[in-house]
Amino acid sequence: GAQFVTPMTLAARSEAEVYTSLWDLKNETEMGHIQLSREADLIVVCPATADLMAKMAAGIADDLATTLLLATDTQVMAVPAMNVRMWDHAATQRNVSQLRDDGVIVLDPDEGPMACGEYGEGRLPEPDAIFAEIEHWLGSSTQDRAHPLAGKHVVITAGPTREPIDPVRYIANRSSGRQGYAIAGALARLGANVSLISGPVALETPRGVNRIDVETALGMEAAVDAALPADVAILVAAVADWRAEASPRKIKKGETGGPPDLNLIENPDILAGLSRSDKRPELLIGFAAETDKVVGHAKAKLDRKGCDWIIANDVSGDVMGGAENSVHIITEAGVESWEQMPKSDVARKLAERIADVLA
């Protein structure tokens, strides 16, 4: 790190002393690393490399940073940053799991292009997002400010549904579940009790979230009903509008004399049904994935569904499965448009907005 930004630069900008060595004679005659480990309210390891997290998980103390981390009883937050293959490696994931079990706050890295030319998870989160996480966890002196959603139950749906055609084929869509999962994680970090009802996705369950896996629209509807009552419901999932009358055996190509006729049946409208239910949450939020007339279609959906907010996004590009999103929040009061940003930032801002409304 000192090769990129010199200690003198940091000292000048922070107007504070910068410590780099365990063998500083002046500081270590007074056991400076012990003092450093005790005087902070929060220790942020940023960036947290794969090597440093491995040392933290193993309790190795071979330089100033690792010695301080082993000697502290202060809350530690690690902000990972590394190559995508290093992040995905079983050893790194094992170390992350161990650190979280040890009480270390390990943030999720962003997904996107990297300095090495590759693409994937492992990017350092944006500074504003890191600062927001520090604010959430450090907060003020009160637990309520740090966890404003404590005691609130939130139900979230995420991902696609799969509607079987026969035992090997199904109707589905391109939803990756990333936005819903990011929202679930952001709400959990604010103290909410989160029930995440997920269609089939290849994502890790956010820390502190109760995940319920389903496959079909009917399964998702039943899981949502079973998860109630809730203070908030956020229906992010891309639920298939129709399902087929599934064949009990594989449809053979030569048996139908051409493409098979699929008898499609309309799936239940989970959002509209929940808005009319006697179990309706205090705040009911739907998502609208549109490819044209995004705001106009979303306004019509708000009226039709009877929910409190519709969050609309344009999915004509690479939003489904991509790392970023640009959304419009439609309420009876009007439309608020957010610029394109990482899905983790959309999730954080939305979680904060929900906390403000419930407060």
Side-chain angles (χ1 to χ4, degrees):
Q3 300 299 317
F4 285 97
V5 182
T6 67
M8 183 175 291
T9 301
L10 290 176
R13 294 292 293 167
S14 65
E15 298 182 356
E17 188 170 353
V18 175
Y19 302 87
T20 60
S21 174
L22 188 59
W23 307 112
D24 185 299
L25 292 178
K26 173 181 177 295
N27 291 313
E28 287 308 314
T29 54
E30 302 171 357
M31 287 295 172
H33 67 278
I34 300 296
Q35 181 180 350
L36 280 173
S37 74
R38 299 289 193 270
E39 66 184 14
D41 297 304
L42 176 70
I43 297 174
V44 181
V45 183
C46 179
T49 63
D51 176 74
L52 184 52
M53 288 198 296
K55 291 179 177 179
M56 291 169 64
I60 294 172
D62 62 354
D63 59 15
L64 179 60
T66 51
T67 302
L68 182 153
L69 290 165
L70 192 61
T72 192
D73 56 2
T74 298
Q75 179 67 64
V76 176
M77 175 185 290
V79 189
M82 64 198 71
N83 172 269
V84 57
R85 288 182 175 83
M86 296 173 73
W87 173 252
D88 288 339
H89 196 284
T92 301
Q93 292 303 309
R94 184 170 62 247
N95 291 332
V96 168
S97 178
Q98 181 62 58
L99 289 172
R100 285 172 172 165
D101 287 345
D102 291 343
V104 175
I105 303 162
V106 183
L107 305 187
D108 292 324
D110 278 355
E111 178 181 349
M114 300 179 171
C116 60
E118 296 192 74
Y119 184 98
E121 286 187 294
R123 278 174 59 96
L124 187 74
E126 293 299 315
D128 286 348
I130 299 170
F131 183 69
E133 292 289 350
I134 291 171
E135 283 189 314
H136 289 328
W137 285 95
L138 194 59
S140 66
S141 59
T142 67
Q143 184 72 7
D144 289 341
R145 284 287 299 279
H147 299 98
L149 292 176
K152 301 295 185 181
H153 180 209
V154 182
V155 172
I156 301 178
T157 66
T161 62
R162 291 178 179 173
E163 309 301 328
I165 295 172
D166 62 21
V168 297
R169 302 181 180 93
Y170 56 81
I171 300 170
N173 57 64
R174 299 179 185 273
S175 174
S176 67
R178 292 185 185 279
Q179 187 65 84
Y181 273 58
I183 294 169
L187 289 166
R189 286 191 289 274
L190 294 188
N193 172 23
V194 180
S195 297
L196 173 61
I197 300 167
S198 174
V201 298
L203 296 174
E204 183 179 348
T205 306
R207 185 183 182 199
V209 169
N210 176 36
R211 173 174 166 176
I212 302 103
D213 289 313
V214 299
E215 185 148 334
T216 66
L218 292 175
M220 185 166 285
E221 180 187 44
V224 168
D225 186 68
L228 297 174
D231 300 284
V232 183
I234 311 171
L235 304 190
V236 191
V239 181
D241 293 321
W242 302 279
R243 67 184 185 274
E245 286 187 352
S247 169
R249 62 186 183 88
K250 180 182 176 183
I251 301 171
K252 304 297 289 183
K253 188 174 183 180
E255 292 178 348
T256 57
D261 292 325
L262 298 180
N263 185 20
L264 296 179
I265 305 165
E266 188 172 358
N267 269 326
D269 189 325
I270 301 174
L271 179 61
L274 190 53
S275 72
R276 297 188 296 266
S277 170
D278 56 4
K279 297 180 182 179
R280 188 192 195 281
E282 178 183 348
L283 180 60
L284 179 58
I285 302 172
F287 265 66
E290 305 291 349
T291 57
D292 66 299
K293 300 179 182 177
V294 175
V295 172
H297 286 318
K299 286 181 176 179
K301 187 172 183 178
L302 180 71
D303 295 336
R304 192 169 65 252
K305 303 290 186 179
C307 53
D308 299 302
W309 304 354
I310 286 288
I311 300 176
N313 57 344
D314 185 343
V315 297
S316 59
D318 64 347
V319 170
M320 281 192 164
E324 297 191 340
N325 204 355
S326 175
V327 304
H328 309 274
I329 300 180
I330 291 93
T331 67
E332 289 186 355
V335 179
E336 180 180 338
S337 299
W338 293 355
E339 63 183 11
Q340 184 166 315
M341 65 186 79
K343 289 182 176 178
S344 58
D345 289 354
V346 173
R348 174 179 55 79
K349 289 185 66 174
L350 182 60
E352 291 170 350
R353 174 68 60 83
I354 290 169
D356 288 343
V357 168
L358 295 187

